[in-house]
Amino acid sequence: MSPKSVVFKKICKDKSVAVYMGKRDFVDRVDSVEPVDGVIVIDSEALQGRKVFVTLACTFRYGRDDMDVMGVAFRRELYLSTRQVYPPLQDREKGIHTKTQARLLRKLGNNAYPFFFEFPDNLPCSVALQPAPNDVGKQCAVEFEIKAFSADSQDAKVRKRSTVALMIRKVQFAPEDEGMAPSVEITKDFVMSEKPLHVKASLDKEIYYHGEPIKVHVNVTNTSNKNVKNIILSVDQVSTVVLYSNDSYVKCVDIEDSGDSVSAGATLQKDYTLLPLLANNRERRGIILDGKLKHEDTNLASSSIIKEGVLKEVLGIIVSYKVTVKLIIGGMMGSSEIGLEVPFKLMHPKPDAVKESEMEEEMVFQEFKRSYLKGMADDDEEGNVSGGDDMAPKEK
């Protein structure tokens, strides 16, 4: 059986504008990014002569909205693009870019109008900082949002009840071409020892998928007169906030304290297995996660893959991973450490593509999560509502 064609929908409170989208995740292939497309349905009576606009925004939030200090918000708009959808500025057929749009327009009738955005190639992917259990409000995150609203003009004051906002994600999947399996080795000389200590750590491959165990091969050749008292291995997430500080934060997301020792003149060859999972780090604040929608679960943030030549300063948060192998060396004056860092990538596999021609003609409509839009005129306690098929033409 062909897969169902799921369409995500949301309608503003006064029902003047509704948004329909065929997907919420848009893939960054490094050299290109999938465009954002959808359909707007308008109610001309509810509009009362107002125009309809759609915006695509990318925002880096590094503090709650209620933490603004001296008028300076803890958020920065990395990208904003606006399109006028109604009255249309071009023939409706010329605005159709995908088969999903064409099918939606046929189903939704003459009050439906297409919209289309192309991502610039220098925007970050959707990520978020895991908050502490007692944190409230919006978290530190890179967020993407489609917002449709009706107003007299693009710059006019926008009423909340005439606005509908939908969170979307920009994601990356593991590339098809994988690099060499990473391997790092080090030779350490000691005072009062004629021969050195040699350590090598390697992985089976460069890219691991979320939830996949990571096997670490460790080879220790101890020709020195020192004793290795312990070997500790960890997976560390390195997040670099490049937008405003360029600070790097290292968070351990899995660790194994092996207790293995290597006496002077001995060798050790052993495989260790690490498994970095969000499930084991739920209470740890400061870990970077992949962006999520609605109340869906998420995972540790995927490794960032950056297009060559792109300025890193606009990428918000860059995420990388490494396996750290630490040897504790005993000595008369106390213990010392030797460390190796083996970089690797943690990502999702590329999903199997489904051709639009294989999709069933039947569309399954799914409501977006309600969202509360602050800072707009006509604020009240209710947020935007998902109106189901209220604005869609009834099936005959």
Side-chain angles (χ1 to χ4, degrees):
M1 179 183 292
S2 300
K4 298 285 186 182
S5 179
V6 177
V7 175
F8 304 98
K9 61 182 180 182
K10 199 169 183 185
I11 302 176
C12 68
K13 188 174 180 180
D14 67 6
K15 298 190 176 182
S16 62
V17 179
V19 180
Y20 292 76
M21 297 184 68
K23 58 184 177 181
R24 300 172 297 174
D25 289 343
F26 299 88
V27 180
D28 179 354
R29 299 186 177 91
V30 183
D31 58 341
S32 65
V33 186
E34 288 182 338
V36 179
D37 65 280
V39 168
I40 298 293
V41 177
I42 61 102
D43 184 326
S44 55
E45 291 186 7
L47 282 178
Q48 298 178 341
R50 299 190 302 272
K51 298 177 181 179
V52 177
F53 303 90
V54 182
T55 64
L56 168 64
C58 173
T59 303
F60 179 52
R61 183 188 306 278
Y62 45 99
R64 301 196 307 269
D65 286 340
D66 59 0
M67 291 175 58
D68 293 2
V69 177
M70 297 179 65
V72 179
F74 283 83
R75 62 196 300 273
R76 178 174 171 183
E77 214 161 59
L78 301 180
Y79 179 76
L80 178 67
S81 180
T82 305
R83 303 275 192 273
Q84 178 178 316
V85 177
Y86 179 83
L89 301 179
Q90 63 176 353
D91 183 75
R92 192 172 81 153
E93 298 302 317
K94 292 182 179 179
I96 300 174
H97 290 80
T98 66
K99 291 182 179 179
T100 300
Q101 277 184 318
R103 292 168 60 200
L104 279 170
L105 291 172
R106 287 197 302 270
K107 179 177 178 62
L108 298 174
N110 294 329
N111 286 331
Y113 298 89
F115 66 87
F116 183 85
F117 292 95
E118 289 186 307
F119 282 107
D121 61 5
N122 61 347
L123 292 181
C125 288
S126 301
V127 294
L129 181 76
Q130 177 165 265
N134 58 347
D135 284 351
V136 295
K138 291 192 175 182
Q139 57 196 352
C140 174
V142 174
E143 299 174 332
F144 290 86
E145 180 184 70
I146 286 288
K147 183 166 68 177
F149 61 93
S150 60
D152 293 328
S153 67
Q154 179 177 331
D155 301 322
K157 197 169 187 179
V158 180
R159 301 187 306 170
K160 177 195 161 189
R161 62 185 297 109
S162 302
T163 303
V164 55
L166 303 81
M167 300 301 296
I168 61 174
R169 286 187 297 196
K170 179 170 173 280
V171 298
Q172 285 182 329
F173 296 121
E176 296 179 357
D177 299 327
E178 189 170 341
M180 297 285 291
S183 176
V184 176
E185 53 187 308
I186 186 173
T187 299
K188 177 68 174 178
D189 293 307
F190 298 97
V191 178
M192 306 295 291
S193 176
E194 293 182 358
K195 296 183 179 180
L197 169 68
H198 184 79
V199 186
K200 180 179 179 180
S202 60
L203 308 179
D204 290 327
K205 53 184 180 178
E206 180 195 25
I207 299 175
Y208 288 84
Y209 299 146
H210 291 284
E212 181 180 5
I214 300 171
K215 185 177 288 187
V216 187
H217 309 285
V218 177
N219 189 333
V220 181
T221 303
N222 188 8
T223 59
S224 73
N225 59 8
K226 301 289 185 180
N227 292 321
V228 177
K229 299 169 59 177
N230 194 8
I231 300 176
I232 303 172
L233 299 93
S234 65
V235 174
D236 298 327
Q237 181 193 76
V238 183
S239 56
T240 304
V241 183
V242 296
L243 183 63
Y244 64 89
S245 65
N246 211 32
D247 292 336
S248 290
Y249 304 90
V250 180
K251 296 288 184 179
C252 174
V253 292
D254 193 34
I255 188 168
E256 179 176 345
D257 190 339
S258 70
D260 291 334
S261 60
V262 185
S263 58
T267 61
L268 172 73
Q269 292 185 10
K270 188 172 180 179
D271 296 339
Y272 301 89
T273 300
L274 298 168
L275 183 58
L277 292 172
L278 175 58
N280 300 329
N281 294 277
R282 294 284 187 187
E283 305 300 318
R284 298 201 61 200
R285 189 181 190 278
I287 292 176
I288 305 298
L289 313 178
D290 274 343
K292 65 178 181 177
L293 300 168
K294 289 193 174 182
H295 300 295
E296 296 176 354
D297 201 2
T298 185
N299 46 261
L300 297 172
S302 298
S303 299
S304 303
I305 300 180
I306 304 169
K307 182 178 180 179
E308 187 176 350
V310 170
L311 290 175
K312 294 183 179 181
E313 287 75 11
V314 299
L315 294 178
I317 301 174
I318 297 175
V319 179
S320 62
Y321 289 89
K322 62 184 179 181
V323 169
T324 300
V325 180
K326 187 183 298 182
L327 279 65
I328 309 301
I329 312 298
M332 297 179 59
M333 302 299 293
S335 299
S336 59
E337 295 181 357
I338 295 176
L340 294 84
E341 297 180 351
V342 188
F344 71 97
K345 293 183 175 67
L346 184 64
M347 305 193 75
H348 286 291
K350 183 179 180 181
D352 294 333
V354 178
K355 296 180 180 179
E356 288 186 303
S357 58
E358 297 176 355
M359 301 296 290
E360 285 193 359
E361 192 65 28
E362 178 187 354
M363 292 184 173
V364 179
F365 289 86
Q366 179 176 322
E367 296 182 4
F368 266 89
K369 172 182 175 293
R370 298 184 180 187
S371 80
Y372 188 83
L373 300 182
K374 287 188 173 183
M376 291 191 176
D378 198 24
D379 255 0
D380 52 37
E381 293 183 356
E382 291 187 39
N384 296 324
V385 297
S386 298
D389 282 320
D390 291 354
M391 297 186 67
K394 303 299 182 182
E395 296 289 346
K396 296 182 180 179

